């Protein structure tokens, strides 16, 4: 037994198994304590490392390899996370904030390093560690519905400048430390970096688009192509003597336009955020020595206070300067400040490189860990607080909606006189077919359109002719039944049978060919593990469809659904989509729509009344007469489920989010879906 325990830290299989167990169990526990899951991974590394149970060793080849892959993947996802389209819209202001939030912390960090006796080279590197930021709070602003606010898009765009500039400073500092620095060599390094960056950003983008165009629906090879691009860029960075994390970040930017929120992107990020990136943070925990860490907090307390305080203060000054220049509101400035506070991805990766190069001491590494813990908690907390305030302020503003079309916005802006309203209904389960066709018939009849029952016969290169014939016969039987049901519900129907090797893409392509106004899908039966690993069918259709997608869980006949509940976060075009859809369904059934708006307990009553007034001002001119109910609750999901007990149907809109560190922020729709007992329609973002 003792021999086995001694061998555990050096056994690759045991080490891999232990870290998988940590990744599975630890982050959820810390998130329940309202702490970032990444903090839990660091803590697990300390417990399993030399100062704890000594079950893992940071010097083992297994941990080195997995940690390097995690570090590369972390920077790749950080680049992939940046929305280049939003950046282009506000690029001048993004550049201004990027310069401010880079230079001010850079100067403060350099002065701190000089004040505590570090060399100029080390001081500049310390300054660069304070200059970048990680968008840990981005999922929060997405959930609050303020992601389109200019202050938010400017902050997101500034990430491109700060991360690239910080990594460039790192490359120069490493060159100086190795004794290979000279003005001529620096010029050569910059030229090489410029050529390399152009090859990656332009070449990988072109190659990716060509490869994806030629491979079509072959997601497995596309996934491998993206992985190859990441690690090829990392190897290329090392060839020109800059750190591999710079190449990984540029690769993320390069394939950004190629993936465009496709199912392949979801799989690439899933593999990294659930497997490789957590390995990196566990390895960081293994490097922490509790004795050195406590000594740093005691003996180097002033250094810790100076670096952490300098970061917080300098980021605030940068946000304040941009607020003064562009006249942002106080709430917007605070959101910009809070979003630029967290130091996780580029900061931690660059710190490890600096320590390995001998530029930074273990004391600085421990201070950076403290800074990461403080900012990764403080930043999202402040983002949540001021983001809610900004969202409430936006909701309180009157919204003008001139010339609102009579047809639902959800169904697009097409003219019904030229293109019939078509509801495409993928059919695969005979048990749910009746309710789906009935709902589609109700919607189609209301808009004078038709139902398109669709059956996908899946084939591949190994499908035998006999099996194909049988599958086509089964699909045809489903379609014959769908046509009969459509006639029963007095709706015009036209069946479509499609043979394809990918069901999700087959649905999307058929819907586009039919010029679908809406894709109506039944609730899948995949378990949670399958959905996390492969993505549900509806989820993949959400990503790829060119028309709105609704996933339905119907527990009773649609004709009996007269009381419809529509929870609303704010008054947005997407909210009007849901209201108009629900109102159309209610008119068919001679029912009533209730709009539910849930506010925080601290929200002034005047804001409740303003929301009610503005909502009525928008809905009445376009012929909508819903009931409006405003409730006060700190738990929106629970409140929605309680209100749904007296209704026949709940209509929600889903939102999907992620961060560079792989952290997911629980969304209200997810909680409602898990706890709601009645019928539900979930519209996915396309």
């Amino acid at each position: 037994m003792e021999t086995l325990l001694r061998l555990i830290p050096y056994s690759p299989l045991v080490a891999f198994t232990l870290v998988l167990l940590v990744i599975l169990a630890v982050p959820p526990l810390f998130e329940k304590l309202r702490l970032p899951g990444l903090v839990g991974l660091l803590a697990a590394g300390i417990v399993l490392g030399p100062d704890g149970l000594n079950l893992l060793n940071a010097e083992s080849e297994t941990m080195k390899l997995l940690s390097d892959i995690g570090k590369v993947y972390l920077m790749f996802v950080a680049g992939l996370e940046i929305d280049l389209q939003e950046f282009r819209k506000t690029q001048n202001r993004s550049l201004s904030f990027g310069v401010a939030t880079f230079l001010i912390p850079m100067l403060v960090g350099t002065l701190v390093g000089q004040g505590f006796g570090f060399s100029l080279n080390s001081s500049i590197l310390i300054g660069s560690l304070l200059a970048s930021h990680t968008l840990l709070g981005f999922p929060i602003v997405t959930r609050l519905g303020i992601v389109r606010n200019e202050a938010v898009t400017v902050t997101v765009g500034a990430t491109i400048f700060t991360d690239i500039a910080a990594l460039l400073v790192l490359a120069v500092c490493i060159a100086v430390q190795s004794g290979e620095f000279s003005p001529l060599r620096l010029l050569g390094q910059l030229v090489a970096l410029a050529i390399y960056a152009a090859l990656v950003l332009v070449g990988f983008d072109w190659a990716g688009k060509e490869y994806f165009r030629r491979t079509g629906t072959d997601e497995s090879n596309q996934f491998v192509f993206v992985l190859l691009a990441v690690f090829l860029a990392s190897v290329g960075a090392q060839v020109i003597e800059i750190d591999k994390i710079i190449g990984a970040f540029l690769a993320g930017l390069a394939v950004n336009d190629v993936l465009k929120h496709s199912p392949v992107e979801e799989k690439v990020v899933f593999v990294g955020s659930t497997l490789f990136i957590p390995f990196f943070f566990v390895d960081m925990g293994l490097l922490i020595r509790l004795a050195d860490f406590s000594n740093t907090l005691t003996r180097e307390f002033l250094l810790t206070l100076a670096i952490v305080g300098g970061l917080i203060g300098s980021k605030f000054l940068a946000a304040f300067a941009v607020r003064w220049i562009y006249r942002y509101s106080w709430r917007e400035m605070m959101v910009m400040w809070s979003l630029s506070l967290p130091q996780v991805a580029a900061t931690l990766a660059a710190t490890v490189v600096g320590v390995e190069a001998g530029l930074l001491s273990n004391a600085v590494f421990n201070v950076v860990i403290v800074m990461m813990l403080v900012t990764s908690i403080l930043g999202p907390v402040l983002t949540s607080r001021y983001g809610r305030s900004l969202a409430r302020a936006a909701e309180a503003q009157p919204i003008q909606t001139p010339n609102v079309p009579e047809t639902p916005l959800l169904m697009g802006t097409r003219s019904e006189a030229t293109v019939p309203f078509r509801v495409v209904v993928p059919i695969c389960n005979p048990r749910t077919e009746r309710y789906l066709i009935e709902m589609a018939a109700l919607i189609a009849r209301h808009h004078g359109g038709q139902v398109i029952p669709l059956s996908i016969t899946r084939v591949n290169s190994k499908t035998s002719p006999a099996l194909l014939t049988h599958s086509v016969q089964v699909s045809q039987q489903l379609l014959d039944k769908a046509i009969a049901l459509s006639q029963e519900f007095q709706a015009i129907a036209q069946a479509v049978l499609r043979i394809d090797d990918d069901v999700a893409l087959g649905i999307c392509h058929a819907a586009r060919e039919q010029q679908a106004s809406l894709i109506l899908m039944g609730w899948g039966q995949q378990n949670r593990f399958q959905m996390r690993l492969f993505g549900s069918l509806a989820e993949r259709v959400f990503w790829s469809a060119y028309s709105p997608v609704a996933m339905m869980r119907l527990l009773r006949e649609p004709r009996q659904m007269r009381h419809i509940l529509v929870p609303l976060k704010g008054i947005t075009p997407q909210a009007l989509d849901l209201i108009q859809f629900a109102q159309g369904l209610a008119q068919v059934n001679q029912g009533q729509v209730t709009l539910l708006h849930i506010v925080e307990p601290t929200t002034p009553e005047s804001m409740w009344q303003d929301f009610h007034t503005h909502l009525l001002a928008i809905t009445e001119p376009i012929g909508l007469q819903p009931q409006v109910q405003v409730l006060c609750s700190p738990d929106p999901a629970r409140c929605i489920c309680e209100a749904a007990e007296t209704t026949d149907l709940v209509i929600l809109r889903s939102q999907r989010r992620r961060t560079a560190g792989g952290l997911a922020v629980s969304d209200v729709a997810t909680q409602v879906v898990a706890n709601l007992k009645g019928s539900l329609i979930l519209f996915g973002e396309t």
Side-chain angles (χ1 to χ4, degrees):
M1 186 66 178
E2 293 180 0
T3 303
L4 177 61
L5 291 176
R6 284 198 303 269
L7 290 176
I8 282 178
Y10 304 97
S11 171
L13 184 59
V14 174
F16 188 80
T17 304
L18 279 175
V19 178
L20 284 181
L21 181 61
V22 167
I23 295 171
L24 178 67
V26 173
L29 294 177
F30 273 70
E31 287 169 3
K32 287 183 179 179
L33 299 174
R34 299 192 179 276
L35 292 173
L38 299 181
V39 177
L41 296 175
L42 286 170
I46 296 173
V47 172
L48 296 175
D51 287 349
L53 301 176
N54 197 28
L55 296 179
L56 294 176
N57 186 354
E59 299 301 320
S60 68
E61 291 300 320
T62 303
M63 289 305 302
K64 285 182 178 180
L65 174 62
L66 294 173
S67 178
D68 279 348
I69 293 175
K71 182 166 58 177
V72 166
Y73 225 111
L74 180 64
M75 295 309 301
F76 167 69
V77 175
L80 195 64
E81 183 182 72
I82 296 172
D83 191 330
L84 294 179
Q85 290 184 351
E86 293 301 318
F87 170 72
R88 295 183 186 110
K89 294 177 183 177
T90 59
Q91 56 186 357
N92 292 333
R93 296 192 174 193
S94 293
L95 183 60
S96 298
F97 182 56
V99 170
T101 199
F102 177 83
L103 289 182
I104 296 176
M106 176 83 176
L107 178 61
V108 170
T110 302
L111 292 176
V112 168
Q114 289 285 277
F116 282 87
F118 289 92
S119 66
L120 179 60
N121 195 26
S122 297
S123 299
I124 292 175
L125 181 56
I126 291 174
S128 72
L129 298 180
L130 275 60
S132 63
H133 59 263
T134 304
L135 294 170
L136 284 185
F138 188 74
I140 298 175
V141 297
T142 304
R143 173 169 54 87
L144 294 173
I146 58 173
V147 71
R148 299 296 180 184
N149 184 281
E150 184 179 296
V152 175
T153 58
V154 164
T155 307
V156 174
T159 308
I160 299 177
F161 178 84
T162 59
D163 284 1
I164 291 179
L167 294 175
L168 180 59
V169 171
L170 170 67
V172 173
C173 290
I174 295 297
V176 172
Q177 177 68 12
S178 63
E180 301 175 352
F181 176 80
S182 67
L184 184 60
R185 182 175 179 81
L186 174 60
L187 179 60
Q189 185 83 36
L190 292 176
V191 171
L193 179 60
I195 296 174
Y196 164 76
L199 286 174
V200 172
L201 293 175
V202 178
F204 281 28
D205 179 72
W206 173 83
K209 289 177 180 177
E210 279 295 308
Y211 188 82
F212 273 54
R213 182 179 65 83
R214 293 175 183 274
T215 54
T217 61
D218 191 353
E219 293 182 9
S220 59
N221 280 339
Q222 292 171 356
F223 176 84
V224 175
F225 175 87
V226 173
L227 288 186
L228 177 62
V230 176
F231 291 100
L232 187 61
S234 300
V235 172
Q238 291 180 306
V239 169
I240 63 170
E241 299 181 356
I242 60 175
D243 195 85
K244 52 184 171 289
I245 60 177
I246 299 177
F249 183 78
L250 291 176
L253 293 177
V255 302
N256 204 312
D257 280 338
V258 178
L259 295 179
K260 291 182 179 178
H261 307 299
S262 67
V264 177
E265 179 186 13
E266 187 74 2
K267 291 176 174 60
V268 168
V269 175
F270 169 79
V271 170
S273 61
T274 58
L275 185 62
F276 294 125
I277 293 175
F279 269 102
F280 171 66
F281 284 97
V282 172
D283 187 62
M284 292 304 96
L286 296 178
L287 296 176
I288 298 175
R289 297 293 181 266
L290 291 179
D292 294 341
F293 193 74
S294 60
N295 287 337
T296 299
L297 294 180
T298 54
R299 298 178 185 178
E300 304 291 344
F301 176 75
L302 291 179
L303 176 62
T304 304
L305 185 63
I307 289 181
V308 177
L311 168 72
I312 295 174
S314 59
K315 291 292 185 181
F316 181 86
L317 286 176
F320 183 82
V322 173
R323 178 203 179 223
W324 180 76
I325 295 173
Y326 295 114
R327 299 293 187 267
Y328 289 125
S329 68
W330 177 262
R331 296 184 184 91
E332 290 174 322
M333 187 208 78
M334 295 301 287
V335 169
M336 294 175 73
W337 174 49
S338 63
L339 283 174
S340 62
L341 266 182
Q343 305 291 307
V344 179
T347 303
L348 197 53
T351 303
V352 174
V353 174
V355 172
E356 292 173 349
L359 261 175
L360 302 177
S361 64
N362 287 331
V364 174
F365 174 77
N366 290 327
V367 170
V368 170
I369 295 297
V370 174
M371 181 175 69
M372 192 202 78
L373 296 177
V374 172
T375 58
S376 64
I377 295 172
L378 180 63
V381 168
L382 292 174
T383 300
S384 179
R385 176 180 177 181
Y386 291 103
R388 285 193 181 97
S389 178
L390 186 60
R392 288 196 295 265
E395 291 170 6
Q397 295 177 356
I399 298 178
Q400 303 297 328
T401 55
N403 302 323
V404 178
E406 294 182 359
T407 55
L409 297 174
L410 182 69
M411 309 313 171
T413 58
R414 70 187 70 194
S415 170
E416 292 193 24
T418 57
V419 180
F421 187 93
R422 295 190 175 106
V423 184
V424 170
V425 188
I427 303 296
C428 64
N429 187 349
R431 291 178 296 180
T432 61
E433 185 175 4
R434 181 178 181 84
Y435 285 177
L436 278 177
I437 294 297
E438 182 178 343
M439 177 64 78
L442 290 176
I443 297 171
R445 282 167 42 202
H446 178 69
H447 297 289
Q450 59 182 318
V451 179
I452 310 292
L454 169 67
S455 183
I456 305 293
T457 299
R458 187 172 184 178
V459 298
N460 54 47
S461 58
K462 298 181 180 179
T463 303
S464 65
L467 181 58
L468 175 59
T469 301
H470 174 72
S471 299
V472 169
Q473 290 175 349
V474 172
S475 295
Q476 191 60 57
Q477 291 173 0
L478 290 172
L479 292 176
D480 290 342
K481 182 180 178 181
I483 293 295
L485 289 171
S486 300
Q487 293 173 351
E488 177 184 340
F489 299 126
Q490 301 176 350
I492 301 173
Q494 176 184 346
V496 173
L497 190 152
R498 186 183 185 92
I499 298 176
D500 208 310
D501 62 345
D502 186 290
V503 175
L505 291 179
I507 292 172
C508 296
H509 293 159
R512 190 172 192 184
E513 292 166 0
Q514 297 296 323
Q515 295 182 286
S517 308
L518 176 67
I519 300 175
L520 202 63
M521 301 184 65
W523 209 270
Q525 298 297 320
Q526 286 177 293
N527 61 46
R528 289 186 177 182
F529 178 77
Q530 288 175 322
M531 290 181 65
R532 288 195 68 195
L533 190 59
F534 305 109
S536 69
L537 176 63
E539 186 179 41
R540 296 180 61 221
V541 174
F542 284 170
W543 278 118
S544 306
Y546 297 90
S547 55
V549 181
M551 187 165 65
M552 302 199 173
R553 183 178 67 195
L554 305 177
L555 305 182
R556 60 190 305 183
E557 286 191 58
R559 288 177 295 181
Q560 298 176 359
M561 296 178 180
R562 294 183 173 83
H563 301 285
I564 302 173
L565 180 68
V566 183
L568 295 178
K569 177 63 181 176
I571 305 175
T572 64
Q574 292 80 12
L576 289 178
D577 287 356
L578 296 190
I579 296 172
Q580 292 181 343
F581 175 83
Q583 190 69 25
L585 185 59
Q587 289 175 356
V588 172
N589 292 337
Q590 299 180 347
Q592 179 65 47
V593 176
T594 299
L595 306 181
L596 176 62
H597 181 57
I598 303 170
V599 298
E600 296 284 340
T602 56
T603 304
E605 186 174 352
S606 60
M607 285 193 175
W608 302 17
Q609 297 172 352
D610 288 342
F611 181 88
H612 188 280
T613 302
H614 296 155
L615 187 58
L616 291 179
I618 290 173
T619 56
E620 287 181 356
I622 57 178
L624 304 182
Q625 298 178 340
Q627 294 181 351
V628 180
Q629 185 176 9
V630 181
L631 299 178
C632 179
S633 174
D635 189 347
R638 181 178 179 182
C639 191
I640 292 172
C641 291
E642 291 176 351
E645 292 177 358
T646 58
T647 61
D648 299 321
L649 177 67
V650 177
I651 301 179
L652 292 173
R653 177 174 291 272
S654 71
Q655 290 183 329
R656 289 142 48 86
R657 303 171 304 279
R658 60 177 172 270
T659 68
L663 296 178
V665 174
S666 166
D667 131 303
V668 172
T670 302
Q671 299 177 45
V672 172
V673 169
N675 297 293
L676 191 67
K677 304 302 181 183
S679 296
L680 173 69
I681 299 178
L682 184 66
F683 281 94
E685 294 183 341
T686 58

